[in-house]
């Protein structure tokens, strides 16, 4: 199985520093394989951490897993989400590594496995985010088909159906020859995983497995070689389950059957417990910075004072919008946008008191990016950090005596270009760019620097 798992806040990807700390803690001379679920925040954060690790001399490869079979063929930039099939990929890659394969071969095994598996989930309730009011989007007597693991809405809401009807529908969706999400045809050997989403008893998972196995054999003509039942990839306290089907051959079965010390893997455990916790070095804090010149000046210039007031106003506005942003996000996503933005805003307000060289606009923007990177995580955290880095580079090239309105506008345009480049979005993709691009256009029209 995995040597390390990097955790972020609830339903948010881990920040780059945490991923780097994990790479530093466990990577040996053979290198490191990062197995990443296909969500934008995960791809951005793990990608940036991988590039940083490579620049430090580490051998790092990435495999992206997108096993979702609930949505139509990929549209736009997101593609298929990573779901419980990722656990099977983890097991196969871990066994390949333990067998002594090279990093390139382990990555190839993991990639091949990711292309052989498909998953679809069914929920009978939404999950409860800690400290948040549970969304009421799924009413009584309803179930949600094709949801993700972060509580985001599924492909469809339907009336509750008997388990054999639900299982039959899910299997047909995964094995559909029209979408061709998995290369599985009649006569193939397969592995079946019934995964609980957090609040489903094992008994009910076993009932779903008992319906799925004969359906696969009789309706789809498949040989079911292995069945794994349990809670492998949950969504907090969500009631429901997902079904994963992987095309199997002797190599895949050998890796799945390999003994492991992972305590909750259902087969092949040799009775030994995992090793003691590995101490992980903490990322550098502000107090450890070698450049002590970067700190709050004793006396603020006029520009420094204006910059401080502006930062305070913006951050306090975000703090006050936390609950409203969470409410809006719960309608279309996982309901944590306000909480994520709140963490960034409060960190900025706190760090401003000691660490921001407010008389130097460029360095202040850079420090704002560092505050965001440290606490926000997720897609928005990494994108705002990229935003600040691009603005910093543009402002750094400007005069230190004072940044003009025109230079601020140019910095905004540079930041928008960077976010678009690395995030893969443009105008009309319903991202932060749909607010930033018009703002930059208005600045150019007004030309307040004339």
């Amino acid at each position: 199985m995995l040597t390390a798992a990097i955790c972020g806040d609830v339903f948010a990807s881990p920040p780059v520093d945490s991923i780097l700390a994990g790479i530093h803690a466990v990577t040996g001379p053979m290198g490191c394989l990062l197995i990443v679920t296909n969500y934008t925040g995960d791809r951005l954060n793990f990608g940036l951490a991988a590039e940083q690790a490579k620049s430090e001399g580490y051998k790092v490869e990435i495999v992206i897993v997108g096993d979702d079979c609930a949505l139509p063929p990929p549209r736009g930039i997101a593609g298929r989400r990573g779901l419980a099939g990722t656990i099977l990929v983890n097991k196969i890659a871990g066994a390949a590594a333990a067998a002594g394969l090279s990093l390139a071969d382990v990555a190839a095994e993991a990639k091949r496995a990711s292309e052989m598996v498909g998953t679809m989930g069914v929920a009978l309730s939404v999950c409860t985010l800690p400290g948040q009011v549970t969304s009421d989007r799924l009413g009584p007597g309803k179930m949600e088909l094709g949801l993700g693991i972060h509580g985001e809405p599924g492909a469809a809401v339907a009336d509750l159906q008997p388990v054999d009807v639900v299982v039959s529908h899910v299997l047909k969706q995964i094995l559909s020859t029209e979408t061709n999400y998995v290369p599985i045809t009649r006569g193939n050997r397969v592995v079946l995983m019934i995964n609980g989403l957090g609040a489903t008893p094992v008994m009910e998972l076993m009932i779903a497995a008992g319906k799925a196995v004969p359906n696969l054999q009789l309706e789809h003509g498949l040989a079911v070689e292995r069945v794994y039942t349990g809670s492998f990839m949950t969504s907090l306290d969500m009631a429901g389950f997902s079904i994963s089907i992987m095309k199997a051959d002797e190599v895949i079965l050998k890796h799945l059957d390999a003994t492991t010390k992972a305590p909750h893997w259902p087969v092949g455990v040799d009775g030994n417990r995992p090793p003691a916790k590995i101490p992980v070095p903490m990322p550098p804090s502000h107090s450890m910075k070698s450049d002590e010149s970067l700190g709050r000046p004793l006396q603020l210039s006029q520009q420094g004072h204006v910059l401080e007031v502006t930062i305070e106003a913006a951050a306090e506005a975000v703090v006050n919008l936390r609950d409203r942003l969470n409410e809006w996000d719960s309608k279309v996503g996982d309901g944590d946008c306000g909480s994520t933005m709140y963490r960034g805003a409060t960190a900025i307000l706190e760090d401003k008191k000691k660490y921001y060289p407010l008389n130097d606009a460029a360095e202040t923007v850079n420090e704002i990016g560092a505050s965001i990177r440290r606490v926000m995580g997720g897609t928005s955290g990494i994108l705002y950090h990229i935003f600040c880095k691009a603005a910093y580079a543009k402002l750094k090239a400007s005069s230190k005596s004072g940044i003009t309105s025109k230079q601020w506008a140019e910095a905004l345009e540079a930041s928008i270009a960077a976010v678009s480049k690395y995030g893969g979005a443009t105008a009309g993709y319903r991202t932060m760019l749909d607010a930033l691009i018009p703002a930059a256009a208005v600045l150019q029209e007004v030309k307040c620097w004339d």
Side-chain angles (χ1 to χ4, degrees):
M1 288 294 284
L2 301 176
T3 307
I6 316 300
C7 300
D9 289 315
V10 176
F11 293 157
S13 61
V16 174
D17 284 344
S18 296
I19 301 168
L20 271 175
I23 294 173
H24 293 161
V26 303
T27 303
M30 294 287 282
C32 174
L33 174 66
L34 303 177
I35 301 176
V36 182
T37 49
N38 188 30
Y39 297 93
T40 305
D42 291 334
R43 294 180 68 135
L44 289 170
N45 281 284
F46 278 87
L48 186 55
E51 293 302 317
Q52 177 64 33
K54 289 178 184 177
S55 71
E56 297 172 5
Y58 289 88
K59 293 189 289 185
V60 180
E61 294 287 345
I62 292 183
V63 170
I64 308 293
V65 182
D67 55 316
D68 182 22
C69 295
L71 303 176
R75 294 175 297 180
I77 60 174
R80 300 165 65 187
R81 300 168 294 190
L83 301 176
T86 310
I87 303 298
L88 296 173
V89 177
N90 292 345
K91 180 65 177 69
I92 290 166
L101 273 65
S102 68
L103 176 59
D105 289 339
V106 172
E109 290 282 348
K111 187 174 188 302
R112 186 172 79 95
S114 72
E115 295 168 348
M116 298 289 182
V117 64
T119 301
M120 181 173 172
V122 179
L124 308 182
S125 71
V126 297
C127 61
T128 304
L129 281 170
Q132 301 295 323
V133 176
T134 304
S135 171
D136 59 355
R137 75 165 188 266
L138 192 58
K142 298 291 185 180
M143 64 180 181
E144 198 162 28
L145 303 171
L147 66 154
I149 56 172
H150 302 132
E152 65 266 41
V157 174
D159 293 330
L160 282 175
Q161 299 289 325
V163 64
D164 53 344
V165 175
V166 175
V167 168
S168 177
H169 172 79
V170 171
L171 295 180
K172 287 179 181 178
Q173 184 79 7
I174 296 173
L175 299 170
S176 169
T177 55
E178 295 180 5
T179 54
N180 197 31
Y181 271 143
V182 287
I184 297 175
T185 56
R186 298 185 73 87
N188 286 161
R189 306 160 73 189
V190 297
V191 168
L192 170 68
M193 172 181 278
I194 306 293
N195 169 64
L197 297 177
T200 306
V202 174
M203 179 180 69
E204 294 183 10
L205 298 178
M206 292 295 185
I207 292 173
K211 301 295 183 180
V213 172
N215 186 292
L216 288 170
Q217 294 170 330
L218 301 176
E219 296 295 325
H220 297 279
L222 301 173
V224 182
E225 296 286 350
R226 302 288 187 276
V227 180
Y228 303 100
T229 306
S231 295
F232 300 97
M233 182 179 282
T234 63
S235 186
L236 297 179
D237 62 343
M238 182 178 288
F241 62 91
S242 66
I243 297 179
S244 299
I245 306 171
M246 174 179 277
K247 185 177 181 180
D249 56 27
E250 289 302 322
V251 174
I252 284 178
L253 293 176
K254 177 183 176 181
H255 290 327
L256 290 174
D257 291 344
T259 58
T260 173
K261 295 179 181 179
H264 296 291
W265 184 250
V267 295
V269 180
D270 59 10
N272 295 324
R273 305 300 293 178
K277 292 181 179 179
I278 302 173
V280 176
M282 292 295 291
S285 65
H286 282 287
S287 60
M288 297 170 62
K289 287 190 174 181
S290 58
D291 188 358
E292 295 297 332
S293 65
L294 294 184
R296 183 183 177 89
L298 297 176
Q299 187 70 33
L300 290 181
S301 65
Q302 181 180 1
Q303 177 178 270
H305 177 72
V306 171
L307 188 55
E308 180 177 40
V309 171
T310 304
I311 291 171
E312 286 180 350
E316 288 171 357
V318 171
V319 168
N320 294 331
L321 282 170
R322 176 179 61 176
D323 293 340
R324 191 179 300 178
L325 289 173
N326 279 336
E327 179 185 354
W328 292 341
D329 192 31
S330 68
K331 304 297 183 184
V332 295
D334 47 27
D336 68 341
C337 177
S339 299
T340 302
M341 298 292 289
Y342 175 84
R343 285 194 299 272
T346 52
I348 289 170
L349 289 172
E350 190 62 30
D351 291 349
K352 175 186 67 65
K353 300 175 183 177
K354 295 182 180 180
Y355 305 116
Y356 292 1
L358 295 162
N359 292 340
D360 188 326
E363 293 294 348
T364 299
V365 170
N366 194 41
E367 288 299 299
I368 291 173
S371 300
I372 291 172
R373 170 179 172 175
R374 192 180 75 253
V375 302
M376 281 185 64
T379 305
S380 56
I382 191 67
L383 287 174
Y384 281 123
H385 184 214
I386 291 171
F387 181 95
C388 290
K389 277 293 184 184
Y392 165 73
K394 192 70 175 179
L395 293 173
K396 194 69 175 175
S398 305
S399 172
K400 287 190 176 182
S401 60
I403 304 299
T404 65
S405 300
K406 183 178 182 181
Q407 289 164 340
W408 278 114
E410 291 171 347
L412 176 60
E413 290 184 336
S415 297
I416 291 171
V419 170
S420 178
K421 174 183 176 182
Y422 291 106
T426 56
Y429 276 67
R430 295 189 297 177
T431 69
M432 63 175 70
L433 293 177
D434 286 345
L436 293 172
I437 292 174
V442 169
L443 280 179
Q444 289 296 333
E445 289 174 6
V446 173
K447 291 187 176 180
C448 56
W449 51 85
D450 289 342

